[in-house]
Amino acid sequence: MLQDFRRRTTPETAASRLPPLRRAMEEAGVDGFLVPRADAHQGETVAPRDERLAWLTGFTGSAGLAVVTAAQAALFVDSRYTLQARAEVDGTRFALCRHPEDKPADWLAGVLPEGGRIGFDPWLHTFGEIDALREALAPHGLELVGIHNLVDAVWEDQPEAPRARIRPHAAALAGRSAAEKRARLAGELRENDLAAAVIAAPDSIAWLLNVRGGDVARTPVAHAFAILHAEGRVDLFADLAKVDAELRSHLGNEVAIHVPEDLGQHLAELTGRVALDKARTPVWIADRLAAASGAAIVWRTDPCILPKACKTEAEIAGARSAHRRDGAAMVAFLAWLDRTAPRGGLTEIDVVRRLEEIRTATGALRDISFETICGAGPDGAIVHYRVNEATNRTIAPGDLLLVDSGGQYDDGTTDITRTLATGPAPADARRRFTLVLRGLIAISRLRWPEGLAGRDIDAVARTALWQAGLDYDHGTGHGVGSYLGVHEGPAGLSRRSTEPIRAGMILSIEPGNYREGLYGIRIENLAVVQPAEIPQGGERPMHAFETLTLAPIDRRLIDAGLLDPAERDWLDAYHARVAANLAPLVDAEDAQWLAAACRPLADDP
């Protein structure tokens, strides 16, 4: 289960790939072409076959868009990836643009004359994305044209499409049977006078049908499409190579399985009001349904998104179990690192491999939940840094080491970040680490009224940093699935998240701070939203976080003088809970290390 350190596109290979793409553009009669980091299902993780953006540009982040014209090209990434893009992409061939501040429509308007035609693959862009881009380009006389994928046409050794088996997921772990879920959502369709809903997101299909797959790394989903009908039956479109007798028995008679090529015909035969999610449905599906004579498109959010995010009691119990198991693995890893790092010679890849070996040794790991982030010194300042053979850094004594990792287990998904000292840390790093810790503590202790969204409480995690004139350019947290995607909607902790935070949602809490060229700091725990006890005299229903993650926070980086008594009490109570839960699960040597790592702050000399 070791990380696949993909060979990056080099300046030489990028130079060889742009000319054939431009020739294909000329043959197709377009002046530009869009290359997103996406597949037909708009998942965060894509199969090797769908790594078109990385193949063309060398950029390996999980979000981005390249725009290529006959003479120029640009890569658009968000603030998480600006440093990574600068390191991975040849800036002489691709202008590096920061999205959303820089907009593809503006860039295209600046490089193409009126009447220009920009091609795009209708399978790889959502209707909402193309609708907004078309509107932005119209005043400049530029036209979007749906065509076949031009990267596929010139990528000679493009991998085959994945065909991993689709597996049943136990109802005992899900907390509800697939039949119960279908019936519930079908009832909602009928209440809203909808005949059907088309579902393109693999994680939604996995949740709805209680299945898991293996078509992409790190996220246990199968590439498929589904149509949920108002009477509760489902048409599932998946490669039959993924289907066996066990799956057919699990799905039952109310789920009909079809080959993907039949999707267009079934869309054409739909009648009545049909729900599509504008943010998750490929243009190809929307176009086919729009052409159906008897159907009318109704734009609605994917009906699985919200109930999937609000975990059942069985899923919450599973998450607690997964975090205890994962926490014990983290203790073994952290203790190993403390014993090994002072000797010198460790590299970032060594650390990644050792952590994955320890998780694998649990015997319960299905996969890691994302590519492990392990950044030493200046690499830690790259928010989503992914080490490879070309960037692998030897960890020097005194480097801050940022390790962001997680595991996929049948009973839950984990995601944890710890920033670690490998020797005496400078005072400024300890000060910043403590300010980040104060943000984690503040939001972990928060009690808030029902109905608030992430944008309403995100600032709580930033206040201590703001008071020091500091901040971080990413959200404070994201939703997490139940043995599904490590990043899950619809709610999150960020300035842009407007979805109310509801009981049962599992969210990350991960404030940070980054000094480019020196170090990065991030501390991340997962927490489940629970109804909060209303104090005597209180009037409004409230929510609070129950922290799930169990692992010590490196006390060597804490300036205890910057913590107030309540913050000290929270940290001591958290460490006491970590020790109580994990000590019985680790060996004697690691238990001794754990006791020292979790001792009360007052015990420090």
Side-chain angles (χ1 to χ4, degrees):
M1 189 109 22
L2 298 180
Q3 185 178 12
D4 175 19
F5 298 105
R6 291 172 296 178
R7 183 170 55 191
R8 298 185 303 161
T9 298
T10 65
E12 291 74 24
T13 55
S16 70
R17 290 167 182 174
L18 278 170
L21 176 59
R22 285 174 167 143
R23 286 194 295 271
M25 289 163 49
E26 184 177 4
E27 292 170 4
V30 295
D31 305 292
F33 189 68
L34 307 181
V35 184
R37 206 280 185 170
D39 60 18
H41 308 276
Q42 298 300 313
E44 180 183 14
T45 303
V46 300
R49 176 180 180 80
D50 296 308
E51 288 279 14
R52 299 174 182 89
L53 185 63
W55 177 84
L56 180 67
T57 69
F59 174 67
T60 61
S62 63
L65 171 71
V67 184
V68 180
T69 69
Q72 300 184 56
L75 174 67
F76 294 81
V77 299
D78 64 44
S79 60
R80 297 171 297 169
Y81 294 115
T82 49
L83 296 181
Q84 180 178 340
R86 197 184 306 162
E88 292 183 336
V89 179
D90 184 350
T92 67
R93 291 183 171 86
F94 291 90
L96 300 180
C97 304
R98 180 166 166 164
H99 190 265
E101 294 85 353
D102 301 320
K103 295 177 171 52
D106 293 340
W107 186 87
L108 282 164
V111 300
L112 289 180
E114 187 173 349
R117 303 172 79 242
I118 300 104
F120 71 95
D121 181 345
W123 278 110
L124 301 187
H125 299 266
T126 67
F127 184 90
E129 175 191 358
I130 291 301
D131 192 43
L133 185 55
R134 185 172 277 130
E135 182 178 351
L137 290 172
H140 304 286
L142 299 176
E143 179 186 4
L144 285 173
V145 183
I147 59 175
H148 65 283
N149 196 291
L150 299 182
V151 171
D152 292 357
V154 299
W155 187 354
E156 294 181 353
D157 58 349
Q158 185 177 23
E160 295 294 321
R163 291 182 167 184
R165 185 173 70 88
I166 303 174
R167 322 182 296 274
H169 180 64
L173 293 172
R176 292 191 184 96
S177 70
E180 290 176 299
K181 294 177 182 180
R182 287 190 288 103
R184 172 185 172 183
L185 296 194
E188 293 176 2
L189 292 180
R190 294 192 299 272
E191 289 172 6
N192 289 281
D193 192 27
L194 293 166
V198 181
I199 303 171
D203 59 330
S204 291
I205 295 170
W207 174 85
L208 176 64
L209 301 180
N210 281 351
V211 296
R212 298 296 186 265
D215 281 343
V216 296
R218 317 317 184 200
T219 306
V221 296
H223 284 166
F225 297 96
I227 301 174
L228 171 66
H229 298 272
E231 62 270 26
R233 64 183 178 87
V234 167
D235 287 306
L236 177 66
F237 302 86
D239 190 325
L240 296 184
K242 305 174 186 178
V243 177
D244 60 14
E246 182 187 20
L247 179 68
R248 290 183 184 276
S249 174
H250 166 78
L251 293 176
N253 295 331
E254 291 298 302
V255 179
I257 304 174
H258 312 275
V259 296
E261 292 76 14
D262 288 348
L263 176 60
Q265 175 188 340
H266 281 258
L267 292 172
E269 294 171 352
L270 288 175
T271 59
R273 288 158 42 91
V274 180
L276 295 185
D277 190 326
K278 187 179 289 189
R280 294 172 177 85
T281 303
V283 171
W284 190 94
I285 289 179
D287 286 348
R288 291 304 181 280
L289 191 56
S293 59
I297 294 175
V298 179
W299 298 113
R300 291 289 179 93
T301 300
D302 179 333
C304 302
I305 295 294
L306 185 57
K308 173 165 60 69
C310 298
K311 308 298 185 287
T312 64
E313 285 301 320
E315 288 173 322
I316 294 171
R320 294 187 185 111
S321 177
H323 279 86
R324 283 192 295 271
R325 183 186 312 114
D326 201 67
M330 283 298 299
V331 168
F333 163 72
L334 294 171
W336 166 84
L337 186 67
D338 262 10
R339 293 190 295 265
T340 308
R343 303 174 194 164
L346 272 184
T347 69
E348 293 166 337
I349 289 179
D350 293 333
V351 171
V352 170
R353 285 177 172 158
R354 182 59 182 151
L355 177 52
E356 293 180 13
E357 287 167 357
I358 290 172
R359 279 198 170 103
T360 301
T362 65
L365 186 72
R366 287 281 193 173
D367 198 351
I368 56 175
S369 55
F370 56 96
E371 298 292 344
T372 300
I373 297 169
C374 178
D379 288 344
I382 303 172
V383 177
H384 277 197
Y385 171 72
R386 299 294 196 274
V387 62
N388 58 60
E389 297 289 353
T391 67
N392 189 23
R393 178 184 175 87
T394 298
I395 301 165
D399 276 347
L400 262 63
L401 182 66
L402 189 154
V403 181
D404 186 348
S405 68
Q408 291 282 15
Y409 305 93
D410 283 335
D411 51 1
T413 300
T414 70
D415 181 2
I416 173 175
T417 306
R418 290 295 183 263
T419 304
L420 308 162
T422 63
D428 179 66
R430 295 179 68 242
R431 180 178 73 94
R432 289 175 183 242
F433 181 92
T434 308
L435 296 175
V436 171
L437 174 61
R438 291 184 64 197
L440 174 83
I441 294 172
I443 202 162
S444 298
R445 296 176 58 218
L446 186 66
R447 181 192 301 260
W448 68 93
E450 284 185 6
L452 295 192
R455 68 178 181 185
D456 301 315
I457 64 175
D458 171 80
V460 173
R462 302 177 188 266
T463 302
L465 286 164
W466 285 353
Q467 290 175 333
L470 302 170
D471 201 2
Y472 48 95
D473 293 328
H474 57 75
T476 298
H478 53 83
V480 178
S482 179
Y483 186 38
L484 276 173
V486 74
H487 295 132
E488 177 181 85
L493 299 176
S494 79
R495 299 160 183 165
R496 294 192 295 271
S497 182
T498 60
E499 180 70 32
I501 299 171
R502 294 172 170 84
M505 289 181 170
I506 295 177
L507 300 174
S508 71
I509 302 172
E510 47 184 310
N513 187 249
Y514 309 89
R515 292 198 67 187
E516 183 176 351
L518 293 176
Y519 55 78
I521 296 166
R522 188 162 65 251
I523 311 170
E524 176 187 18
N525 285 342
L526 299 192
V528 59
V529 181
Q530 298 280 24
E533 181 180 347
I534 302 175
Q536 186 175 0
E539 298 176 346
R540 298 189 178 185
M542 309 291 280
H543 282 149
F545 284 121
E546 172 196 334
T547 299
L548 295 169
T549 302
L550 297 168
I553 295 169
D554 196 338
R555 61 194 307 111
R556 294 167 299 187
L557 289 171
I558 299 172
D559 182 346
L562 296 178
L563 300 178
D564 65 29
E567 291 166 337
R568 286 168 168 261
D569 289 346
W570 183 93
L571 185 63
D572 283 346
Y574 174 71
H575 275 153
R577 187 161 72 90
V578 168
N581 274 272
L582 302 185
L585 305 180
V586 300
D587 65 28
E589 184 180 15
D590 289 346
Q592 186 175 6
W593 177 92
L594 177 65
C598 292
R599 68 187 184 278
L601 286 175
D603 290 354
D604 287 349

